[in-house]
Amino acid sequence: MREIHLADNLALLPTLPAGSFRLIYIDPPFNTGKAQQRLRLSTERDAAGGDRPGFMGKRYRTTVLGRTGYPDAFDDYLGFLEPRLREAHRLLRPDGSLFFHIDYREAHYCKLLLDDIFGRESFINEIIWAYDY
């Protein structure tokens, strides 16, 4: 059974049973110091032209369904992350994997925090995104 929960993860995670996940993916705010804005879009094929290009030259029309945002600045970023990562550790099965998505601004501090919580020996590898070919 799959469920989707819409909640602050720090309130939700303690209600879940320990050791119940084989995979946890965490994508927290990056602490950029800037306000982040996100659009929720609907995109449909539009042979008449559309406002954006797609695969094989096809055109698509985009409709904005909603907007959201958040201030991406923390006085104590690791203090924000630590209880969430400790809950992730509690929820992860012994044979499970954690994927933690963070950018260069905080990566080194986060690695030390993850080593403290999960154990340095648990680190397997780092995946680096290429933003351009």
Side-chain angles (χ1 to χ4, degrees):
M1 184 169 118
R2 292 182 167 86
E3 297 178 26
I4 296 175
H5 299 272
L6 179 59
D8 179 344
N9 62 2
L10 194 53
L12 175 67
L13 295 178
T15 70
L16 302 174
S20 54
F21 294 93
R22 289 187 66 194
L23 173 67
I24 297 176
Y25 174 78
I26 298 176
D27 189 356
F30 288 174
N31 199 26
T32 63
K34 301 175 184 174
Q36 298 294 320
Q37 301 294 320
R38 299 290 183 265
L39 296 177
R40 197 164 50 98
L41 304 174
S42 170
T43 306
E44 296 179 20
R45 179 121 186 262
D46 184 352
D51 61 336
R52 66 174 57 202
F55 184 65
M56 296 181 65
K58 295 176 181 165
R59 302 292 300 177
Y60 293 84
R61 178 176 32 86
T62 307
T63 304
V64 176
L65 301 176
R67 298 172 192 270
T68 188
Y70 59 92
D72 190 16
F74 297 82
D75 291 333
D76 181 6
Y77 186 62
L78 295 181
F80 164 77
L81 286 178
E82 184 173 6
R84 291 162 170 82
L85 291 172
R86 289 199 182 279
E87 279 299 316
H89 183 256
R90 183 185 69 78
L91 293 171
L92 195 62
R93 289 176 32 167
D95 63 339
S97 297
L98 171 77
F99 287 77
F100 181 75
H101 180 203
I102 196 68
D103 79 350
Y104 66 90
R105 291 172 188 87
E106 300 286 347
H108 46 291
Y109 301 116
C110 293
K111 171 66 167 77
L112 293 173
L113 179 59
L114 289 164
D115 285 350
D116 181 54
I117 295 170
F118 289 84
R120 188 173 181 182
E121 68 283 354
S122 295
F123 179 77
I124 296 174
N125 210 339
E126 178 178 12
I127 300 169
I128 299 174
W129 289 26
Y131 291 98
D132 195 357
Y133 301 107

